[in-house]
PDB file of all heavy atoms in Angstrom:
ATOM      1  N   LYS M  94       8.561 102.176 175.989  1.00 98.00           N
ATOM      2  CA  LYS M  94       9.703 101.286 175.860  1.00 98.00           C
ATOM      3  C   LYS M  94      11.053 102.073 175.694  1.00 98.00           C
ATOM      4  O   LYS M  94      12.091 101.644 176.186  1.00 98.00           O
ATOM      5  CB  LYS M  94       9.541 100.305 174.690  1.00 98.00           C
ATOM      6  CG  LYS M  94       8.629  99.167 175.005  1.00 98.00           C
ATOM      7  CD  LYS M  94       8.475  98.164 173.885  1.00 98.00           C
ATOM      8  CE  LYS M  94       9.629  97.204 173.825  1.00 98.00           C
ATOM      9  NZ  LYS M  94       9.384  96.162 172.726  1.00 98.00           N
ATOM     10  N   LEU M  95      10.929 103.244 175.036  1.00 98.00           N
ATOM     11  CA  LEU M  95      12.135 104.071 174.867  1.00 98.00           C
ATOM     12  C   LEU M  95      12.607 104.594 176.268  1.00 98.00           C
ATOM     13  O   LEU M  95      13.789 104.580 176.568  1.00 98.00           O
ATOM     14  CB  LEU M  95      11.748 105.285 173.920  1.00 98.00           C
ATOM     15  CG  LEU M  95      12.792 106.370 173.780  1.00 98.00           C
ATOM     16  CD1 LEU M  95      14.139 105.830 173.205  1.00 98.00           C
ATOM     17  CD2 LEU M  95      12.271 107.492 172.833  1.00 98.00           C
ATOM     18  N   ILE M  96      11.625 105.009 177.071  1.00 98.00           N
ATOM     19  CA  ILE M  96      11.994 105.533 178.389  1.00 98.00           C
ATOM     20  C   ILE M  96      12.562 104.384 179.275  1.00 98.00           C
ATOM     21  O   ILE M  96      13.564 104.567 179.972  1.00 98.00           O
ATOM     22  CB  ILE M  96      10.762 106.130 179.109  1.00 98.00           C
ATOM     23  CG1 ILE M  96      10.200 107.334 178.254  1.00 98.00           C
ATOM     24  CG2 ILE M  96      11.084 106.585 180.530  1.00 98.00           C
ATOM     25  CD1 ILE M  96      11.285 108.395 177.915  1.00 98.00           C
ATOM     26  N   GLU M  97      11.989 103.166 179.178  1.00 98.00           N
ATOM     27  CA  GLU M  97      12.462 102.010 179.881  1.00 98.00           C
ATOM     28  C   GLU M  97      13.924 101.692 179.443  1.00 98.00           C
ATOM     29  O   GLU M  97      14.746 101.394 180.301  1.00 98.00           O
ATOM     30  CB  GLU M  97      11.534 100.843 179.563  1.00 98.00           C
ATOM     31  CG  GLU M  97      11.567  99.649 180.480  1.00 98.00           C
ATOM     32  CD  GLU M  97      10.647  98.555 180.015  1.00 98.00           C
ATOM     33  OE1 GLU M  97       9.468  98.846 179.683  1.00 98.00           O
ATOM     34  OE2 GLU M  97      11.114  97.400 179.914  1.00 98.00           O
ATOM     35  N   TYR M  98      14.182 101.765 178.150  1.00 98.00           N
ATOM     36  CA  TYR M  98      15.496 101.495 177.574  1.00 98.00           C
ATOM     37  C   TYR M  98      16.515 102.477 178.112  1.00 98.00           C
ATOM     38  O   TYR M  98      17.590 102.099 178.637  1.00 98.00           O
ATOM     39  CB  TYR M  98      15.344 101.516 176.024  1.00 98.00           C
ATOM     40  CG  TYR M  98      16.566 101.683 175.211  1.00 98.00           C
ATOM     41  CD1 TYR M  98      17.738 100.953 175.394  1.00 98.00           C
ATOM     42  CD2 TYR M  98      16.575 102.536 174.072  1.00 98.00           C
ATOM     43  CE1 TYR M  98      18.876 101.110 174.575  1.00 98.00           C
ATOM     44  CE2 TYR M  98      17.643 102.693 173.241  1.00 98.00           C
ATOM     45  CZ  TYR M  98      18.799 101.945 173.485  1.00 98.00           C
ATOM     46  OH  TYR M  98      19.906 102.102 172.670  1.00 98.00           O
ATOM     47  N   ILE M  99      16.201 103.762 178.012  1.00 98.00           N
ATOM     48  CA  ILE M  99      17.181 104.807 178.378  1.00 98.00           C
ATOM     49  C   ILE M  99      17.464 104.775 179.877  1.00 98.00           C
ATOM     50  O   ILE M  99      18.563 105.175 180.299  1.00 98.00           O
ATOM     51  CB  ILE M  99      16.680 106.208 177.886  1.00 98.00           C
ATOM     52  CG1 ILE M  99      16.645 106.290 176.364  1.00 98.00           C
ATOM     53  CG2 ILE M  99      17.542 107.347 178.433  1.00 98.00           C
ATOM     54  CD1 ILE M  99      17.937 105.925 175.647  1.00 98.00           C
ATOM     55  N   THR M 100      16.505 104.330 180.696  1.00 98.00           N
ATOM     56  CA  THR M 100      16.701 104.300 182.171  1.00 98.00           C
ATOM     57  C   THR M 100      17.158 102.934 182.655  1.00 98.00           C
ATOM     58  O   THR M 100      17.299 102.735 183.857  1.00 98.00           O
ATOM     59  CB  THR M 100      15.414 104.772 182.874  1.00 98.00           C
ATOM     60  OG1 THR M 100      14.390 103.842 182.497  1.00 98.00           O
ATOM     61  CG2 THR M 100      15.038 106.171 182.552  1.00 98.00           C
ATOM     62  N   SER M 101      17.430 101.995 181.706  1.00 98.00           N
ATOM     63  CA  SER M 101      17.649 100.617 182.127  1.00 98.00           C
ATOM     64  C   SER M 101      19.090 100.364 182.668  1.00 98.00           C
ATOM     65  O   SER M 101      19.381  99.253 183.179  1.00 98.00           O
ATOM     66  CB  SER M 101      17.408  99.673 180.907  1.00 98.00           C
ATOM     67  OG  SER M 101      18.350  99.956 179.872  1.00 98.00           O
ATOM     68  N   GLY M 102      19.955 101.365 182.542  1.00 98.00           N
ATOM     69  CA  GLY M 102      21.331 101.206 183.062  1.00 98.00           C
ATOM     70  C   GLY M 102      22.068 102.507 182.823  1.00 98.00           C
ATOM     71  O   GLY M 102      21.470 103.439 182.270  1.00 98.00           O
ATOM     72  N   PRO M 103      23.283 102.629 183.262  1.00 98.00           N
ATOM     73  CA  PRO M 103      23.984 103.905 183.126  1.00 98.00           C
ATOM     74  C   PRO M 103      24.208 104.278 181.657  1.00 98.00           C
ATOM     75  O   PRO M 103      24.326 103.438 180.815  1.00 98.00           O
ATOM     76  CB  PRO M 103      25.328 103.678 183.813  1.00 98.00           C
ATOM     77  CG  PRO M 103      25.474 102.235 184.166  1.00 98.00           C
ATOM     78  CD  PRO M 103      24.071 101.635 183.987  1.00 98.00           C
ATOM     79  N   VAL M 104      24.193 105.590 181.451  1.00 99.00           N
ATOM     80  CA  VAL M 104      24.503 106.158 180.133  1.00 99.00           C
ATOM     81  C   VAL M 104      25.791 106.938 180.274  1.00 99.00           C
ATOM     82  O   VAL M 104      26.186 107.330 181.380  1.00 99.00           O
ATOM     83  CB  VAL M 104      23.376 107.016 179.562  1.00 99.00           C
ATOM     84  CG1 VAL M 104      22.105 106.215 179.293  1.00 99.00           C
ATOM     85  CG2 VAL M 104      23.069 108.208 180.525  1.00 99.00           C
ATOM     86  N   VAL M 105      26.479 107.264 179.163  1.00 99.00           N
ATOM     87  CA  VAL M 105      27.593 108.215 179.181  1.00 99.00           C
ATOM     88  C   VAL M 105      27.156 109.476 178.477  1.00 99.00           C
ATOM     89  O   VAL M 105      26.834 109.456 177.295  1.00 99.00           O
ATOM     90  CB  VAL M 105      28.873 107.610 178.547  1.00 99.00           C
ATOM     91  CG1 VAL M 105      29.960 108.640 178.446  1.00 99.00           C
ATOM     92  CG2 VAL M 105      29.347 106.437 179.434  1.00 99.00           C
ATOM     93  N   CYS M 106      27.157 110.555 179.259  1.00 99.00           N
ATOM     94  CA  CYS M 106      26.724 111.871 178.739  1.00 99.00           C
ATOM     95  C   CYS M 106      27.951 112.661 178.286  1.00 99.00           C
ATOM     96  O   CYS M 106      28.932 112.747 179.006  1.00 99.00           O
ATOM     97  CB  CYS M 106      26.052 112.642 179.861  1.00 99.00           C
ATOM     98  SG  CYS M 106      24.809 111.810 180.782  1.00 99.00           S
ATOM     99  N   MET M 107      27.828 113.250 177.059  1.00 99.00           N
ATOM    100  CA  MET M 107      28.927 114.044 176.566  1.00 99.00           C
ATOM    101  C   MET M 107      28.433 115.333 175.931  1.00 99.00           C
ATOM    102  O   MET M 107      27.406 115.378 175.312  1.00 99.00           O
ATOM    103  CB  MET M 107      29.658 113.245 175.455  1.00 99.00           C
ATOM    104  CG  MET M 107      30.460 112.089 175.977  1.00 99.00           C
ATOM    105  SD  MET M 107      31.216 111.207 174.600  1.00 99.00           S
ATOM    106  CE  MET M 107      29.923 110.062 174.227  1.00 99.00           C
TER     107      MET M 107
END
Side-chain angles (χ1 to χ4, degrees):
K94 282 181 81 178
L95 173 60
I96 300 307
E97 200 181 311
Y98 163 44
I99 295 303
T100 58
S101 64
V104 295
V105 171
C106 311
M107 290 177 268

